[in-house]
Amino acid sequence: MAQSRKTLRPQVHRQLDPAAWTAAGLSPANALIVAVILISTVFAVVETEPVIYGRFGRWFERAEIAFGLLFLFEYAARLWSVAEDRGDQSALRRRLRFVSSPAALLDLFVILASLVPVLGLNASALRLVRLLRIIRLAKLGRLSKALRGLSRAISLRRYELGLTVALAMSVLIIGATGLYWIEGDLQPDKFGSVPRSLWWAVTTLTTIGYGDVYPITPAGKIVASLLAMAGIGLIALPAGIMAGATHDAMKSGGSTNEGGV
Amino acid sequence: MAQSRKTLRPQVHRQLDPAAWTAAGLSPANALIVAVILISTVFAVVETEPVIYGRFGRWFERAEIAFGLLFLFEYAARLWSVAEDRGDQSALRRRLRFVSSPAALLDLFVILASLVPVLGLNASALRLVRLLRIIRLAKLGRLSKALRGLSRAISLRRYELGLTVALAMSVLIIGATGLYWIEGDLQPDKFGSVPRSLWWAVTTLTTIGYGDVYPITPAGKIVASLLAMAGIGLIALPAGIMAGATHDAMKSGGSTNEGGV
Amino acid sequence: MAQSRKTLRPQVHRQLDPAAWTAAGLSPANALIVAVILISTVFAVVETEPVIYGRFGRWFERAEIAFGLLFLFEYAARLWSVAEDRGDQSALRRRLRFVSSPAALLDLFVILASLVPVLGLNASALRLVRLLRIIRLAKLGRLSKALRGLSRAISLRRYELGLTVALAMSVLIIGATGLYWIEGDLQPDKFGSVPRSLWWAVTTLTTIGYGDVYPITPAGKIVASLLAMAGIGLIALPAGIMAGATHDAMKSGGSTNEGGV
Amino acid sequence: MAQSRKTLRPQVHRQLDPAAWTAAGLSPANALIVAVILISTVFAVVETEPVIYGRFGRWFERAEIAFGLLFLFEYAARLWSVAEDRGDQSALRRRLRFVSSPAALLDLFVILASLVPVLGLNASALRLVRLLRIIRLAKLGRLSKALRGLSRAISLRRYELGLTVALAMSVLIIGATGLYWIEGDLQPDKFGSVPRSLWWAVTTLTTIGYGDVYPITPAGKIVASLLAMAGIGLIALPAGIMAGATHDAMKSGGSTNEGGV
């Protein structure tokens, strides 16, 4: 047993801790966990459909328990292998630190919530929380380098992007106020107040155009046309800003992709 | 009193005049004013909703008077502290210049309009004018550097951007004329004249597509498809132009964000 | 008379021929002509509206005759002043060459069509042809430099842009065929043939989404979702290509805007 | 006969094999084949329309047989001329290798399927497969250089593009779950499950907005507005990434278009 601890525990630790895995990509164990998280997310999405749940409900419940047990087993393995972390602390202190970390607390909470079905509907939402774990597992490696690159690009131009958001907000309010004046009396349920008009302004500026609200007077259509044109600029401006930013961020920060690709 | 003027007035001036505030960002007083302007804008938007105003109307009226008094107090403080401005002019001349500046006249007008409710509905619109003051207050600092950067980028390519607008206008008129010919007789209320068709052309070229107007004949659908494809180009072209322009503007003008970020 | 010809004709020629105008921008005469063309275009658009024409029809007819006479006068002035063109040819040969040029033939045709109202409806379309003349008049100057810059940018990446068009066409056909199979029997008037489905595919890929046609089965919605995602790429790809292209074109070709702006 | 083989077969081979054609562009024979493939694709699309097929059905059948025979003749010519390929292999082995290649097997299958009409409807889909052959024929030349350039650009930023896809998927699931909670009970046929809500989320995030599904409560509209804003970012982000990538790919890989254009 003492022997197996010497040989097994470091291996488990190497498999589970992304920082301890020196090879490229995810370790086999973490790749499996990512896959299981993705599958359990698909299950969490699909089981909300009454037609499917009505037929296969029993199987979804069983799958959910299986997922819960799997993640409980993973949690236990992490708790056991965390003692292998480098540093001067004792194994117990490391485990206590692991247990009290927000990420581990959230994990445990989600595991318990899916195994002890007392929260009803919201359990399905809690399972979506597991998606967050993928980000943590993928923290190292190329994807996270790409993530850092994009974050740096957005950060480089955060004032310019913030300005376009402020500009968009102003255009939204002005457009909504315009149609509130022009068609507020004609279509009171749609343009009878600025907040109501804002719904129309958002679906117009983002070029969605559901068709549940649209102007019917010539003046309203002219304002809507101006807002729609502004919408084109609203897409072109951030796209242009991001283009220069990604280029600069890749250059200055040392791109992920320039070396061995 | 003479003593307090010596110590208090320069401090108030430093707090209220963005040019006199040497530290980074906004001064606490101006940050507060920006916050109050944003809150009063939200109030001005929300109070147009009859359902909400019906219930909380009295509170909105009180809030509006509070905002008006606050801005009146701010106006008085600016009038008093403007005497601290550098230069050879007397305090009276500086105050007269301040009072007669278009920005201060507009401020005073909006303050009076919200305190003396005789203009009715339009008062809510006047309050939106306050948003303009944020731009003036934020004139210094990083955001305004970003604003200058974007303005320079747009200015650098103003002929190219103007050309895309001219191109878009031509495509709009040609498309609208096309559908006026093809479906003018079939759907006279929608395509019975070029101006009517233009409404459809705008909602198509900007890819909004409310669904209140669309072609029903094969020929009309072919013209609409061509217009829709042109719409893609209409987004791609300015986005591409802006991308190169922001890049060049940041480079040549000294970016806000390259130094201490 | 011989004296006035010596002093007046070169001046008229300088005013009317963009190549003879050495100062920046358009000559006053050509600027006026551009303005009149734009106004006559607005008239041509607005007069198709029955509500407006019913009231002001007489005025539109008079305006149209006035525009026609003005353009006839301009045509005569060009014919007269073209003799000032540099070169060895006689004045007569120059005038004959002018009269027989396609641009002048088209001009004359449009002028006659608007003065002799026998063609009925199509006259309004012919007047749109005048817009083409703006391009010819603006051939010199900054706007045309910008036009050359954009054309060069598009030309630089014409194979890449052509590929995205080919890709879009393939995606359109595949998507339309997919929904023809899946919902052809369910909604025969909408997806009953590939050409009918293509209308849906175009409004989806370009993200217009009028709402006159949409899938109603889960399988159809999945195919539509894939097509919609591809639509995002279809906008991002040419925008990205154009971004690099305009940047390169401005650089290599000597930008309009880098010098004295 | 031996003489004609010496003169004719190398010529046919040079015409049919893109690798053997040393001049720029496609060989006349392959250009003809590409044209015929495009025409047969148009026929395959149009003949699904009952109104047209009802009238010209006989002609479509004849055209289909003609196309089939033409492609059969082309197949035979390729089989015959493939013996001219460079290398030590015997003519028979080269032909066997040609016949057993996946591309030739697919070709033969499509030819037989269009000549022996037993598969019914699906034959029209099989004919679309011919479009794939265009890619193979165009493998050499400028278009394929552009294709390589674009592929390299996408490959250079595959992690960044993958991240935006992952981000989009997360936003889709979160938005769909949000509206499932908020309006699941109000509009059960539209938001009654996460998969049903996903259809709405896709049409919103991609800014299509058919108008068959949209939120009706204030809370739902706020979530939808946030999703719509995210949709703008979803277009701007990949466009920005692609802009930098195409620029870099053209530079590092040696652009198609910089030399002789």
Side-chain angles (χ1 to χ4, degrees), chain C residues 11 77 86 136 138 150 186 197 201 259:
Chain C
Q11 271 180 28
R86 263 184 274 172
R136 255 183 299 141
L150 280 184
L186 277 166
S197 283

Side-chain angles (χ1 to χ4, degrees), chain B residues 156-160 163 177 180-181 193-196 200 204 207-211 214 221 228-229 237 240 243 248, chain C residues 45 48-49 121 125 128 142-143 146-147 172 199 202 206-210 212 235 239 242-243 246-247 250 257 261:
Chain B
L156 260 174
R157 296 278 186 278
R158 63 182 177 280
Y159 293 106
E160 282 80 8
L163 260 180
T177 307
Y180 162 59
W181 285 342
S193 75
V194 176
R196 289 178 202 185
W200 163 82
T204 298
T207 77
I208 290 177
Y210 288 120
Y214 49 82
K221 285 176 178 179
M229 304 276 185
L237 211 58
D248 293 359
Chain C
V45 163
T48 61
E49 173 58 51
L121 182 86
L128 290 181
R142 295 211 151 165
L143 258 177
L147 185 62
L172 276 178
W199 170 241
V202 167
T206 57
T207 77
I208 290 177
Y210 287 120
D212 56 337
I235 300 173
M242 282 310 298
T246 48
H247 183 77
M250 297 296 145
N257 309 314
V261 180

Side-chain angles (χ1 to χ4, degrees), chain B residues 122-143:
Chain B
N122 287 316
S124 87
L126 274 169
R127 278 167 238 156
L128 290 181
V129 174
R130 283 175 190 154
L131 281 171
L132 287 173
R133 291 187 50 207
I134 292 180
I135 300 166
R136 255 183 299 142
L137 290 175
K139 236 177 198 163
L140 296 161
R142 295 212 150 163
L143 258 176

